């Protein structure tokens, strides 16, 4: 018997009629009759006797019934499991993010996600780029939100958008125009590390202009640069999202020479992702752009 034969057989047993089985299966009566006739022709014996009071299971049909009911229960279990998978029940999505995205993007994105998929567990890790890449390659993370740079050939990079870095000054500083790299260096520019994704861009721009900041302090975490500016340690350059976190505490100004950066999602190239993972990635994309637009309206244009 084929699977469709079994479905029709079970439906007729449950309802006692061709019409009842058609309603249960949401198909037409001729369709049910055609499948039943085909099943009986293949088997070489009748499954039902057609009587005025309805369809009566034959002796052969009764012998099949326990096996059919057991299989039908298994089919129902499969249907329930696929529905659970569709809703993401029992699944865990493992997300990584650069520190700058943890509070500004991932926190509100996960709040939105929990409202949509409360049954899906999420593990969030904030780390530096190299650590996130290793974790994905070691299958410890499903994907990560990072600043763009060259990735391993086994990783897939999905660009989201591009923007430019922002200058941070003490809140009551009198300077109100876009600042040059020369001006920043002359006012104690707090430096990113040269091996950092955004640090590479900044260090290259400084080399091109022959500039050498006097401050020897080199900082890896962008929010620490902002905290140093807040503490009176100088001026800084950070990404758009870190800058937004300090918009009420520091003065944010464009840098006269564009210092572009890219945001991207990275994941393993050879591993298909679950439906829950894909849905969470879309929530993160939407939240990222929502926050970027809010920041854009405050001080400069975000470019696609």
């Amino acid at each position: 018997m084929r699977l469709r034969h079994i479905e029709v057989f079970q439906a007729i047993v449950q309802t006692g009629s061709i019409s009842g089985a058609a309603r249960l299966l949401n198909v037409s009566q001729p369709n049910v009759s055609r499948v039943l006739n085909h099943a009986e022709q293949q088997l070489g014996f009748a499954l039902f006797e057609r009587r005025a009071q309805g369809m009566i299971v034959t002796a052969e049909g009764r012998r099949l019934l326990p096996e059919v009911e057991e299989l039908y229960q298994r089919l129902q279990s499969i249907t329930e499991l696929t529905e659970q998978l569709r809703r993401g029940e029992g699944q865990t999505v493992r997300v990584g993010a650069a520190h700058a995205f943890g509070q500004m993007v991932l926190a509100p994105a996960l709040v939105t996600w929990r409202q949509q998929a409360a049954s899906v567990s999420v593990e969030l890790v904030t780390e530096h780029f190299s650590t996130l890449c290793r974790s994905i390659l070691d299958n410890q993370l499903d994907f990560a939100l990072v600043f763009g740079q060259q990735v391993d050939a086994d990783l897939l990079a999905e660009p989201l958008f591009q923007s430019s870095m922002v200058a941070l000054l003490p809140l009551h500083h009198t300077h109100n125009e876009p600042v040059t790299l020369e001006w920043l260096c002359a006012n104690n520019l707090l430096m990113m590390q040269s091996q950092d994704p955004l640090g590479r861009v900044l260090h290259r721009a400084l080399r091109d202009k022959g500039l050498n900041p006097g401050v020897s302090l080199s900082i890896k975490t962008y929010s620490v640069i902002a905290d140093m500016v807040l503490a009176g340690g100088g001026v800084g350059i950070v990404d758009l999202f870190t800058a937004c976190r300090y918009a009420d505490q520091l003065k944010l100004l464009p840098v006269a020479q564009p210092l572009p950066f890219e945001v991207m999602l990275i994941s393993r190239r050879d591993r298909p992702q679950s439906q829950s993972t894909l849905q969470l990635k879309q929530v993160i994309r939407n939240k990222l752009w929502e926050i970027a637009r809010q920041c854009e309206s405050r001080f400069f244009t975000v470019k696609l």
Side-chain angles (χ1 to χ4, degrees):
M1 294 180 73
R2 297 180 181 177
L3 183 58
R4 190 57 174 166
H5 297 159
I6 293 171
E7 288 181 324
V8 167
F9 176 68
Q10 178 67 16
I12 296 174
V13 170
Q14 282 185 258
T15 62
S17 67
I18 296 289
S19 60
R23 287 192 296 272
L24 183 64
L25 297 173
N26 196 30
V27 297
S28 67
Q29 292 185 41
N31 184 282
V32 172
S33 296
R34 184 166 53 252
V35 173
L36 176 60
N37 291 336
H38 185 260
E40 291 178 328
Q41 288 172 8
Q42 283 201 330
L43 292 170
F45 56 80
L47 294 170
F48 297 94
E49 291 182 9
R50 282 74 166 169
R51 296 182 181 178
Q53 64 267 37
M55 305 288 284
I56 307 300
V57 183
T58 63
E60 293 82 1
R62 285 196 298 273
R63 288 187 63 183
L64 283 171
L65 197 53
E67 297 294 332
V68 168
E69 287 181 339
E70 183 179 346
L71 177 59
Y72 192 71
Q73 290 299 320
R74 292 293 300 155
L75 289 174
Q76 286 186 315
S77 297
I78 292 172
T79 300
E80 291 172 3
L81 178 58
T82 55
E83 180 61 22
Q84 290 172 1
L85 291 173
R86 186 187 66 81
R87 295 193 300 265
E89 293 181 7
Q91 294 185 23
T92 299
V93 180
R94 303 163 303 170
V95 187
H99 292 294
F101 298 123
Q103 292 178 301
M104 198 65 189
V105 179
L106 266 297
L110 290 179
V111 170
T112 300
W113 170 245
R114 296 299 294 167
Q115 294 169 350
Q116 299 177 8
S119 59
V120 181
S121 299
V122 178
E123 297 177 0
L124 172 62
V125 174
T126 56
E127 265 295 352
H128 297 294
F129 181 84
S130 58
T131 303
L132 292 171
C133 289
R134 284 196 304 272
S135 296
I136 293 174
L137 290 171
D138 292 341
N139 198 33
Q140 296 173 356
L141 290 175
D142 295 312
F143 70 96
L145 182 66
V146 298
F147 292 107
Q149 62 173 301
Q150 192 71 30
V151 298
D152 189 281
D154 292 330
L155 292 176
L156 175 66
E158 305 173 61
L160 298 185
F161 79 98
Q162 294 179 337
S163 185
S164 290
M165 287 182 253
V166 183
L168 299 182
L169 281 64
L171 186 61
H172 301 296
H173 201 288
T174 56
H175 198 101
N176 291 306
E177 299 296 326
V179 291
T180 63
L181 291 177
E182 290 84 354
W183 186 93
L184 289 166
C185 289
N187 285 270
N188 296 325
L189 175 61
L190 300 164
M191 288 296 296
M192 298 172 169
Q193 293 187 0
S194 59
Q195 68 271 28
D196 185 83
L198 304 193
R200 288 191 179 97
V201 177
L202 176 57
H203 281 259
R204 187 184 309 117
L206 292 172
R207 284 197 305 270
D208 290 345
K209 287 184 170 290
L211 297 173
N212 186 23
V215 179
S216 61
L217 187 60
S218 180
I219 303 171
K220 191 173 184 65
T221 303
Y222 306 153
S223 60
V224 174
I225 293 176
D227 288 332
M228 288 286 293
V229 176
L230 195 60
V235 296
I237 294 176
V238 296
D239 63 281
L240 179 67
F241 301 97
T242 300
C244 281
R245 285 183 55 203
Y246 290 84
D248 296 327
Q249 300 171 280
L250 295 172
K251 179 174 288 188
L252 315 182
L253 293 175
V255 180
Q257 177 179 346
L259 300 171
F261 69 88
E262 186 175 48
V263 179
M264 63 188 189
L265 289 168
I266 56 172
S267 57
R268 281 188 62 143
R269 186 178 295 275
D270 62 347
R271 184 151 300 179
Q273 297 186 342
S274 69
Q275 189 66 24
S276 296
T277 300
L278 295 173
Q279 291 169 352
L280 177 54
K281 287 171 72 173
Q282 188 57 49
V283 170
I284 292 172
R285 285 188 187 94
N286 294 341
K287 183 59 65 174
L288 184 76
W289 274 104
E290 178 186 332
I291 293 169
R293 283 193 294 267
Q294 292 171 358
C295 295
E296 170 191 7
S297 65
R298 301 188 72 154
F299 39 88
F300 68 96
T301 301
V302 178
K303 298 180 181 179
L304 279 169

